[in-house]
Amino acid sequence: MGNSEHLGREHFGVVIAGGGPVGLLLAGELRLHGIATLVLEQAPQGQGEPRTLSLHARTLESLDRRGLLTDFTAAQDSVPGLADYRRQLNDHGARGHFAGIYQLGRNAAEAEQPHGLTLPREVVKELLGKRAEGLGAVVRHGQEVTGLEQDGDGVTVTVRTEDGSYPVRADFLVGCDGGRSTVRKSAGIAFPGTGPSVVARMGRAVFEVEGGGELPIGWERTDGGWYMRMPDGRVAVTEWEVPDDLESPVTVAELAESIHRVTGLRVTLSDPEYVTRFTDSARQASSYRAGRVLLAGDAAHVHFPAGGQGVNLGMQDAFNLGWKLAAECRGGAPEGLLDSYGAERHPVAARVLHNTRAQVALMRPGPQVDALREMFVDLMGIDGVNTYLSEIIYGTGIRYGSAPDDHPLVGTFARDLPLTTPGGPTRLAELLRSGRPLLLGLNGGGSAVLDAAAPWSDRVERVRAEAERPYATALLVRPDGYTAWAAEGAVDTRSLRAALTAWCGPERAAG
């Protein structure tokens, strides 16, 4: 889309810089609440690095709560090789790895989403973009955010296109524009962390091995580093000798030489789709908000892609931020709601940076690390250790802050439940499709709860239901699926009203 007479006079509730999975998911979340949203993506439509993404349990649970899981599952099944690869992992009783040790998730048979999904990045973008635009978001390709100026009323965003630049006005700007984020830099947000200790080179091409044979599919740790080949044809090699020049474009020859050093095989590459280089630099924004500018995804945190956590971390940022930012845009949001985004998500990302640094250390060549890895294999066979590491990688151990006298469920992800409502059978997950908070009263214990919440009925879904095995009498579930309040037995409606005020704003008089 080029310039038009309207460009320069537009005003949106939220402008999102970056049209990757995080930016597009956030756009859809905002549109659920009617917020005028513009997504600006630098790359032309259809262009992008052909990466493959692993979607983990907590992300799949969240997608289910928006009615998107079926489409994502069908998309994986339609991509040759990926569904078979996932089934092969699942048949071996593990969903994934920690530092290349494929032992995770062995105790997850009862988990809500015990298996992950693997999808090309462009397919994920297509699914989320279709949803965002279907809900009314404006998505523009070939348009790059190059600067910003903010004041007390909003942000003026400078956008560059092939035809020139134009300004657009927004109440808020969210940077989902990657690890080199222009938004983060323009907002003056620091990005501290650790520099590279390894370098990985990856590409997809036709690989011919000198003397015949093929590069095998899977992971292999060698004396020279790490080798990986995925079913989609990607080959990646990781080495511990970091070159001085990490800024020059990576070449096919550089990738071939790295493959030789790591595997001992000499290869030639032809018809390359892409080659890239990345490191284990681990950095995190000092704050996820500067006034009316916020960060999500790689703009807020970067790390080595061990365990495929990056896209999941970013998508969970979007689920957490979307409803809070929408409430702020609409007005009447409770004090501190928007700031709770950074307060909740910053520690989660810090833990991911921590575990990826640990994984890189555990992947190093050498006899000392050989011994440590052998011990880790034994440790991961212990149920408690396996569960601990699985929850770290898959995000299922997240619990947001709660007070000492809160119910034990507060801050945890509300587990799905089969329910019978006056409208018929449903599930807890399905009741969150609207993106609104859910107040659920179960098995006859919810009448007082639902009545107490009547002044919030314009913002909260109130549902009475029967459940065969309820784990609470009543639940207040946030739009992102986390429990804001819970009760068993007799209900203290004063604590409920306090929770509703804290998360949904003040009560409103009837009529």
Side-chain angles (χ1 to χ4, degrees), residues 1 19 41-49 122 125 140-144 162:
M1 174 180 176
E41 168 55 39
Q42 178 181 357
Q45 190 164 12
Q47 289 190 13
E49 188 177 289
E122 292 306 304
K125 286 174 57 179
R140 296 175 184 162
H141 294 86
Q143 305 204 10
E144 177 187 7
E162 62 180 7

Side-chain angles (χ1 to χ4, degrees), residues 92 136 351 431 485:
H92 286 83
R351 289 193 291 272
L431 295 176
W485 173 89

Side-chain angles (χ1 to χ4, degrees), residues 23-179:
L24 292 171
L25 175 58
L26 178 60
E29 292 295 286
L30 291 165
R31 285 303 304 157
L32 278 179
H33 301 278
I35 305 303
T37 304
L38 170 65
V39 179
L40 298 166
E41 168 55 39
Q42 178 181 357
Q45 190 164 12
Q47 289 190 13
E49 188 177 289
R51 294 159 52 195
T52 300
L53 305 177
S54 295
L55 302 182
H56 297 327
R58 180 49 45 84
T59 301
L60 301 185
E61 293 166 353
S62 300
L63 290 172
D64 187 24
R65 281 148 180 77
R66 293 296 185 268
L68 297 170
L69 181 57
T70 299
D71 290 342
F72 274 73
T73 302
Q76 177 188 258
D77 292 340
S78 70
V79 179
L82 290 183
D84 291 340
Y85 171 73
R86 266 292 172 187
R87 291 190 188 99
Q88 183 181 15
L89 288 182
N90 297 338
D91 288 345
H92 286 83
R95 290 181 292 152
H97 70 90
F98 188 88
I101 303 172
Y102 273 88
Q103 299 285 337
L104 292 186
R106 292 187 178 277
N107 308 311
E110 301 301 320
E112 184 179 323
Q113 297 294 333
H115 305 307
L117 290 179
T118 302
L119 285 167
R121 184 175 186 269
E122 292 306 304
V123 172
V124 174
K125 286 174 57 179
E126 180 182 353
L127 291 168
L128 295 175
K130 181 179 178 181
R131 177 203 184 217
E133 291 186 287
L135 290 169
V138 178
V139 181
R140 296 175 184 162
H141 294 86
Q143 305 204 10
E144 177 187 7
V145 172
T146 59
L148 64 94
E149 291 184 8
Q150 63 171 314
D151 52 51
D153 297 322
V155 187
T156 299
V157 183
T158 302
V159 186
R160 181 169 60 202
T161 76
E162 62 180 7
D163 300 321
S165 297
Y166 69 92
V168 63
R169 186 73 174 166
D171 297 333
F172 290 91
L173 169 65
V174 183
C176 300
D177 51 341

Side-chain angles (χ1 to χ4, degrees), residues 14-16 20-32 37 39 128 131-132 174-176 294-296 314-315 317-323 325-326 341:
V14 178
V15 169
I16 299 171
V22 178
L24 292 171
L25 175 58
L26 178 60
E29 292 295 286
L30 291 165
R31 285 303 304 157
L32 278 179
T37 304
V39 179
L128 295 175
R131 177 203 184 217
V174 183
C176 300
L294 298 107
L295 304 174
M315 290 175 71
D317 287 346
F319 279 120
N320 188 292
L321 174 60
W323 65 281
L325 183 53
Y341 162 64

Side-chain angles (χ1 to χ4, degrees), residues 243-449:
D244 293 332
D245 181 12
L246 290 172
E247 297 301 321
S248 62
V250 64
T251 65
V252 167
E254 181 182 338
L255 175 58
E257 291 163 3
S258 185
I259 292 173
H260 177 244
R261 288 192 296 270
V262 171
T263 68
L265 299 174
R266 293 194 178 276
V267 299
T268 58
L269 283 67
S270 58
D271 299 325
E273 293 184 35
Y274 78 100
V275 288
T276 189
R277 182 197 303 119
F278 55 91
T279 74
D280 64 332
S281 290
R283 299 186 179 278
Q284 185 175 21
S286 57
S287 173
Y288 285 10
R289 180 185 181 190
R292 291 179 172 268
V293 178
L294 298 107
L295 304 174
D298 288 352
H301 38 71
V302 294
H303 54 86
F304 192 70
Q309 297 172 84
V311 69
N312 296 275
L313 184 61
M315 290 175 71
Q316 290 299 312
D317 287 346
F319 279 120
N320 188 292
L321 174 60
W323 65 281
K324 297 174 180 178
L325 183 53
E328 191 74 22
C329 288
R330 290 195 312 266
E335 183 178 356
L337 180 66
L338 187 55
D339 286 332
S340 74
Y341 162 64
E344 291 181 342
R345 295 302 297 168
H346 198 281
V348 173
R351 289 193 291 272
V352 171
L353 267 63
H354 185 70
N355 87 61
T356 55
R357 290 186 181 111
Q359 290 187 74
V360 169
L362 195 56
M363 293 166 68
R364 286 183 174 275
Q368 291 84 5
V369 179
D370 291 345
L372 182 60
R373 290 179 66 83
E374 290 174 6
M375 292 186 67
F376 245 78
V377 171
D378 293 338
L379 289 171
M380 290 173 70
I382 300 172
D383 286 350
V385 174
N386 199 293
T387 297
Y388 169 76
L389 293 174
S390 297
E391 288 181 347
I392 285 175
I393 298 297
Y394 301 120
T396 51
I398 294 171
R399 181 178 183 181
Y400 295 133
S402 58
D405 57 348
D406 281 338
H407 189 282
L409 291 175
V410 171
T412 66
F413 199 74
R415 302 194 308 275
D416 197 15
L417 273 175
L419 301 170
T420 302
T421 71
T426 186
R427 296 184 293 125
L428 183 150
E430 293 175 346
L431 295 176
L432 289 167
R433 298 281 161 85
S434 68
R436 285 158 54 96
L438 168 68
L439 181 61
L440 186 62
L442 293 170
N443 293 6
S447 296
V449 169

Side-chain angles (χ1 to χ4, degrees), residues 11 41 123 137 230 252 255 426 444 461 464 477 482:
H11 190 121
E41 168 55 39
V123 172
M230 292 289 288
V252 167
L255 175 58
T426 186
E461 299 284 350
R464 181 180 291 106
V477 185
Y482 286 84

